[in-house]
Amino acid sequence: MRWPPDEAWTSTKKREGYRHFAVKQYGGKGDNRWVELFPVLDKEIKLKVSWIQLKNDAEWRSGWLQLPKEET
């Protein structure tokens, strides 16, 4: 996956009650890279996620993905 990160992300599970996030800022170098995200429906909440974690398909997907009804 390329750096800098994509602007939109979908979490595979709810985080702070939300699944769709946008990038606020990012930084770091090498294995210490991080991305700060906020849910698109609540810009007051912030999540700081390591780049390694964000690249994990089991936890995050690039883009805003449509979720099946039972998962929304």
Side-chain angles (χ1 to χ4, degrees), residues 48-67:
K48 192 170 185 178
V49 180
S50 76
W51 178 236
I52 292 168
Q53 183 183 4
L54 201 60
K55 293 190 301 182
N56 181 347
D57 270 356
E59 293 190 44
W60 293 95
R61 302 285 171 90
S62 179
W64 292 332
L65 307 177
Q66 186 171 356
L67 304 170

Side-chain angles (χ1 to χ4, degrees), residues 1-64:
M1 192 170 287
R2 65 182 168 68
W3 184 260
D6 292 333
E7 296 285 321
W9 293 86
T10 300
S11 175
T12 58
K13 62 183 179 185
K14 285 189 176 185
R15 297 172 194 265
E16 302 288 331
Y18 300 99
R19 303 271 309 262
H20 295 105
F21 293 82
V23 172
K24 182 170 185 153
Q25 61 182 353
Y26 51 85
K29 293 184 179 187
D31 288 342
N32 294 319
R33 288 180 176 161
W34 53 268
V35 179
E36 187 175 270
L37 303 168
F38 64 90
V40 296
L41 297 176
D42 187 346
K43 293 183 169 96
E44 299 299 316
I45 296 173
K46 294 182 226 169
L47 297 178
K48 192 170 185 178
V49 180
S50 76
W51 178 236
I52 292 168
Q53 183 183 4
L54 201 60
K55 293 190 301 182
N56 181 347
D57 270 356
E59 293 190 44
W60 293 95
R61 302 285 171 90
S62 179
W64 292 332

